[in-house]
Amino acid sequence: MAIFVDSADPDDARRAQALGFVGAVTTNPSLVAKVGRPALELLHELLEIFDGPVFYQVTAETLAGRADQAWEAYRVAPQRVVVKIPAATENLPLAKELAAAGMMTCVTAVCSAAQAYLAAQVQARYVAPYVNRLTRQLGDGVAVVRDMAAILRGTQTEILAASLKSVSEAEAALLAGAQHITVPLDLIVAMGEHEFSRQAIAEFDAAVRSMVEPAR
Ligand code: G3P
C-alpha cells in the first residue's frame, strides 16, 4: 500500500524525495506539458532526483511508435521505469508483450471493471482508474474502484487510484480497495494534517511552556 506523487515537475519530485515515504513519481502527458519540457528529458531528471520508480506514458500515434517509446524509456532505468499504456483494446497486445519482456506496466485511464479485468489478462502491474473524473462522468468513481477491486482479487494486478482531488476522496478510494494512490504533492501534505491534531499539538506545546523550570 503506497502513495505516489502525481507530477512531472522536478521540484515536486525533490519534495517527495525529501518526505522519504513517497513510493513513486507518476507522470502523464498533461503533467509533462505543464512543465513544458520533453518527456524523455524529464524522465532522466526525475530518475536522478527521485530514488524510486518513475511512471512514463507512451503517446506515439502508432502501436509500433508506442512500443519504441516504451523500450526507449525502459532502457533509461530498467528496474525503475513503469510504462503507462492508455486503456484501449489495441494497446493490450503491446501491454502483454512489454510485461512478458519483464517491464512493469500500468494500464492507465481505466474507466471500467471490464478494462481492469483485461489489464490483468495482459499482466499489468497496475491499473489506474481516474476516480474524480469518473465521478464527474459516470456519477461514482469510487464505486468503479470497488468493482475493480472485487474483480482483480487474487490477480497480480493492483489498483493505483488517480485523479483524486481531496483527502476524503483519497480515503474513499483506499477503502474501496485501491492498493495505491497517486496524488499531487499538495494533497500528500494535506493528508498529513488535521485541524484537531494541530489543536492537540498546540495544547502540548502550551503545557510544556507552562512548566516551571526546576531550580538548580
Ligand atoms: O495521473 C493523472 C490523473 O491523476 C488524472 O488527473 O486531474 O487530470 O483528472 P486529472
Side-chain angles (χ1 to χ4, degrees):
M1 183 171 280
I3 185 164
F4 303 159
V5 66
D6 203 18
S7 176
D9 186 333
D11 284 340
D12 287 345
R14 222 165 269 121
R15 288 174 66 197
Q17 177 65 29
L19 284 172
F21 60 82
V22 176
V25 175
T26 62
T27 73
N28 68 33
S30 309
L31 295 169
V32 168
K34 230 162 118 181
V35 178
R37 289 171 48 197
L40 207 60
E41 180 186 306
L42 275 174
L43 177 69
H44 278 270
E45 185 167 340
L46 293 170
L47 284 162
E48 265 172 36
I49 294 168
F50 189 79
D51 283 343
V54 176
F55 286 54
Y56 181 89
Q57 190 163 328
V58 294
T59 55
E61 279 179 21
T62 64
L63 206 52
R66 294 195 281 279
D68 288 346
Q69 281 182 317
W71 279 104
E72 192 175 26
Y74 172 74
R75 287 195 189 102
V76 177
Q79 305 304 317
R80 292 175 53 211
V81 170
V82 181
V83 176
K84 288 176 83 176
I85 303 157
T89 309
E90 73 268 20
N91 280 337
L92 293 173
L94 171 63
K96 181 171 181 182
E97 180 192 312
L98 300 180
M103 283 187 212
M104 288 184 285
T105 60
C106 172
V107 176
T108 191
V110 177
C111 294
S112 70
Q115 287 181 315
Y117 175 72
L118 291 188
Q121 306 312 305
V122 297
Q123 275 74 52
R125 173 83 161 82
Y126 304 99
V127 287
Y130 282 7
V131 179
N132 188 275
R133 280 198 209 189
L134 286 171
T135 295
R136 283 179 274 135
Q137 291 161 335
L138 294 172
D140 190 351
V142 173
V144 177
V145 174
R146 196 172 298 114
D147 288 350
M148 285 181 187
I151 281 177
L152 293 178
R153 199 163 295 132
T155 73
Q156 300 295 307
T157 301
E158 296 177 336
I159 300 172
L160 169 60
S163 182
L164 298 164
K165 304 296 176 195
S166 65
V167 173
S168 59
E169 202 166 41
E171 290 169 342
L174 290 165
L175 283 168
Q179 282 91 352
H180 317 284
I181 56 173
T182 184
V183 296
L185 195 77
D186 289 353
L187 188 46
I188 297 178
V189 173
M191 287 174 71
E193 294 291 329
H194 196 287
E195 62 173 307
F196 295 151
S197 302
R198 285 287 166 197
Q199 191 178 305
I201 290 165
E203 284 168 17
F204 297 143
D205 288 348
V208 169
R209 282 194 301 273
S210 73
M211 281 177 63
V212 180
E213 286 287 315
R216 290 176 184 246

